[in-house]
């Protein structure tokens, strides 16, 4: 006889109930098991005075909509009050914010011909990159000056990074493994800071006011 592993384990503590959710099954299977537990099991526990419920998702990421589906089922029992919903994962935005806190360098320098700057994380360069100069970083690169040399962002393979410059007229740009040589898009300047980014493995250049649309995790970042 095959024993089917329960997708939800309910344990009582002095603070209330803890729902431990299996993080390896499908979300639909999880919903079905939560519904089964609430509707047909633990009738003595799931009745009576108000009880605080903590939900432990493990390594499963649930969107706000999925979390609402889970909590709605549990709230069917009027005495159950959702206290916390916890997961051992972080969102992309949280991961970016954490990387920014620990790997952000500010350099005041002009990168001259033959010089190479290489950093781990995001780099803000207060200066120019002259023809023949090279700047490389695993993260985003922001040049608060004239970018006329070679710049490579995302050298470890991150294709979501950008290269921004106050004046964009590079010898060559590279993001992850995609290389672009200067073309008409950055030879006819209309003024204003620009940034290069990848879209389906094609490098494009846009004005900085489009950053929040194209890379919202950067544009919406809180200080």
């Amino acid at each position: 006889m095959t024993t089917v592993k329960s997708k939800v384990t309910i344990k009582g503590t002095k603070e209330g109930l803890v729902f431990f959710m299996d993080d390896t099954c499908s979300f639909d299977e999880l919903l079905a098991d939560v519904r089964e537990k609430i509707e047909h099991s633990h009738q003595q526990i799931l009745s009576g005075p108000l009880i605080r419920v903590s939900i432990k998702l493990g390594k499963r990421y649930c969107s706000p909509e999925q979390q609402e589906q889970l909590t709605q089922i549990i709230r069917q029992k009027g005495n159950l009050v959702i206290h916390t919903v916890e997961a051992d994962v972080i969102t992309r935005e949280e991961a970016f914010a954490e990387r920014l806190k620990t790997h952000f360098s500010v350099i005041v320098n002009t990168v001259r011909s033959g010089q190479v700057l290489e950093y781990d994380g995001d780099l803000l360069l207060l200066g120019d990159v002259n023809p023949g100069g090279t700047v490389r970083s695993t993260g985003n690169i922001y040049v608060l000056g004239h970018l006329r040399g070679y710049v490579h962002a995302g050298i470890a393979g991150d294709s979501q990074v950008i290269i921004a410059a106050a004046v964009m007229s590079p010898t060559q740009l590279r993001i992850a493994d995609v290389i672009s040589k200067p073309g008409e898009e950055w030879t006819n300047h209309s003024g204003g800071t620009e940034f290069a980014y990848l879209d389906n493995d094609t490098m494009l250049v846009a004005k900085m006011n489009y950053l929040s649309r194209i890379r919202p995790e950067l544009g919406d970042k809180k200080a």
Side-chain angles (χ1 to χ4, degrees):
M1 179 177 177
T2 301
T3 302
V4 178
K5 180 184 176 183
S6 177
K7 308 298 187 298
V8 181
T9 302
I10 302 175
K11 293 187 178 181
T13 69
K14 56 184 179 179
E15 286 81 21
L17 294 178
V18 181
F19 282 58
F20 292 93
M21 306 295 187
D22 187 329
D23 55 14
T24 61
C25 66
S26 71
F27 184 70
D28 288 340
E29 290 177 314
L30 184 65
L31 284 180
D33 205 50
V34 172
R35 190 174 288 109
E36 172 71 18
K37 290 288 193 304
I38 292 296
E39 293 178 354
H40 303 294
S41 303
H42 301 277
Q43 293 304 313
Q44 292 181 341
I45 297 176
L46 305 182
S47 62
L50 293 179
I51 301 174
R52 296 204 311 179
V53 172
S54 297
I55 299 175
K56 304 285 189 179
L57 296 171
K59 295 187 182 301
R60 177 189 299 273
Y61 170 76
C62 285
S63 67
E65 293 77 14
Q66 290 175 322
Q67 290 188 28
E68 181 62 24
Q69 287 180 270
L70 282 173
T71 56
Q72 278 185 351
I73 295 172
I74 296 172
R75 289 194 191 103
Q76 289 178 15
K77 295 296 181 181
N79 67 313
L80 299 185
V81 180
I82 305 300
H83 179 54
T84 60
V85 180
E86 300 176 0
D88 298 328
V89 295
I90 60 175
T91 65
R92 180 180 175 182
E93 291 77 12
E94 289 170 334
F96 175 81
E98 191 63 27
R99 184 184 74 174
L100 190 64
K101 285 194 300 184
T102 56
H103 295 91
F104 191 89
S105 299
V106 179
I107 304 299
V108 181
N109 193 24
T110 293
V111 183
R112 306 186 186 281
S113 179
Q115 292 182 323
V116 178
L117 289 182
E118 184 166 328
Y119 287 87
D120 179 22
D122 295 336
L123 173 63
L124 172 61
L125 177 66
L126 305 179
D128 297 334
V129 182
N130 288 345
T134 298
V135 178
R136 292 161 44 88
S137 179
T138 59
N140 302 286
I141 297 176
Y142 309 93
V143 178
L144 198 57
H146 199 152
L147 198 174
R148 293 178 291 173
Y150 170 79
V151 174
H152 183 184
I155 59 176
D158 188 349
S159 61
Q160 294 301 304
V161 298
I162 69 166
I163 299 171
V167 182
M168 184 79 80
S169 52
T171 303
Q172 186 182 90
L173 296 182
R174 182 172 178 177
I175 295 177
D177 295 325
V178 178
I179 299 173
S180 180
K181 294 184 179 180
E184 293 300 320
E185 67 268 29
W186 54 54
T187 55
N188 298 319
H189 293 287
S190 57
T193 304
E194 296 175 309
F195 68 98
Y197 65 99
L198 295 185
D199 183 15
N200 294 324
D201 292 327
T202 299
M203 191 176 299
L204 302 174
V205 175
K207 295 298 181 184
M208 190 56 72
N209 57 303
Y210 289 100
L211 179 63
S212 61
R213 301 184 198 176
I214 296 170
R215 291 288 185 268
E217 69 275 15
L218 292 171
D220 294 341
K221 177 182 65 64
K222 302 294 188 298

